[in-house]
Amino acid sequence: MRHFSMKWFKSNIQVQTRGKGLYNFTDQVESLVGEWRVQEGICHLFIQHTSASLVISESYDPSARIDLENFMEKLAPENQVWFQHVLEGADDSPSHMRSMLTDTSVSIPIDGKELSLGTWQGIYLFEHRARGHLRNILIRCLETS
Amino acid sequence: MRHFSMKWFKSNIQVQTRGKGLYNFTDQVESLVGEWRVQEGICHLFIQHTSASLVISESYDPSARIDLENFMEKLAPENQVWFQHVLEGADDSPSHMRSMLTDTSVSIPIDGKELSLGTWQGIYLFEHRARGHLRNILIRCLETS
Amino acid sequence: MRHFSMKWFKSNIQVQTRGKGLYNFTDQVESLVGEWRVQEGICHLFIQHTSASLVISESYDPSARIDLENFMEKLAPENQVWFQHVLEGADDSPSHMRSMLTDTSVSIPIDGKELSLGTWQGIYLFEHRARGHLRNILIRCLETS
């Protein structure tokens, strides 16, 4: 336990996608935390979209990522006859379903000037639309040291 | 970066549901943040239930919402022969499954006295029980300005 | 609203699993919060793994837990012909899928020196691997009183 003086850091991260899939942007988050020299605290990420989402997952073997992408295609498939929301394309309603099943916000501790991710963890943006988009993620760090 | 004086605001929000479905309560959250005059910081929401959950999703076209509701009925269907937890009704065990797949807590940045939601994002309570319930969501805001 | 002096508490919690399933570790979290005498604030939990995850769910009736475990086996089944990530065993790729659908981080308010969980809520670690593992969860508390 420790009393401390607190600091607040804020920025946003942009990820340009090239259609559906998982995009690892751990480096961009770590780079900001490093630049801000946050010694200890917590890092909040928030994605401002309803057809792209956040996932913290295995970042070592690319085949694990491909399985996650294919799994999502099967779990929330396109072109279902019961869809009512179809005006924006076959991939739009499934994109909201896939976003709902994954994360809009995540909070990661910072210790020793680094994100306290596990050995195999990476931070991904999951693009659910078929076309590429420029996606915006808000990053907020509370320094507690 | 900036040193700052911190404030903590707390309240709870109640949502009366009328059975299964997504209930948009963005206005109630924004109203509290406005009342508290939180300039900048982060807003934590936590739902105190295991058969209702939180979702941040598309809030413009009602047909998108209906597809999400129907999707959940198919993803975690009722009346499966392998259910063991049936004493509290056919909708009870699926309600825990649906809660598990969505959110119990979300954290949304506040900037310029407003929640930094994306253009199409709304905050929903997802009621998973067939009967209406009075649901309780805890709201905690850390002001960092 | 109130100005206040802030404190930051940090530790980690280890959970030894015995293979797949939900492990309730609410007591370990409550015990730390009690030991730290956190009057009011927020408690952040973060799991450092990609094949085990966090879930806040029904903690009263054990049959509800069993249904959740069986549901996950059906939702993200093992041994699918389309899997590419198979070198680490039949349970590895599904373990990442199941982690993706549940939580890596959760944030729970603290009030009156206790976690503000709902009546039926418990905090679970969901082990997705067939073999037992020693799992690590980071716990960070911001005291705001």
Side-chain angles (χ1 to χ4, degrees), chain B residues 77-130:
Chain B
E78 297 187 358
N79 298 309
Q80 302 300 290
V81 291
W82 51 271
F83 285 179
Q84 298 192 19
H85 182 69
V86 292
L87 279 180
E88 296 175 54
D91 61 331
D92 193 60
S93 215
S95 77
H96 301 318
M97 296 166 195
R98 296 166 188 195
S99 289
M100 178 173 70
L101 298 177
T102 49
D103 290 322
T104 300
S105 68
V106 294
S107 299
I108 308 166
I110 297 168
D111 300 283
K113 291 190 180 167
E114 290 188 347
L115 293 172
S116 288
L117 293 169
T119 312
W120 310 110
Q121 286 180 317
I123 309 168
Y124 290 90
L125 180 144
F126 206 154
E127 173 63 70
H128 302 301
R129 299 303 305 262

Side-chain angles (χ1 to χ4, degrees), chain B residues 8 10-11 44-48 104-105 137-140, chain C residues 33 38-44 56 106-118 121 141-142:
Chain B
W8 184 245
K10 55 185 278 188
S11 187
H44 301 289
L45 299 177
F46 181 85
I47 188 165
Q48 290 188 304
T104 300
S105 68
I137 300 114
L138 304 182
I139 172 168
R140 302 290 183 265
Chain C
V33 170
V38 178
Q39 177 66 39
E40 187 176 304
I42 194 142
C43 177
H44 301 289
I56 294 180
V106 296
S107 299
I108 308 165
I110 297 168
D111 300 282
K113 292 190 182 167
E114 291 188 346
L115 292 173
S116 288
L117 292 169
Q121 286 180 317
C141 288
L142 179 72

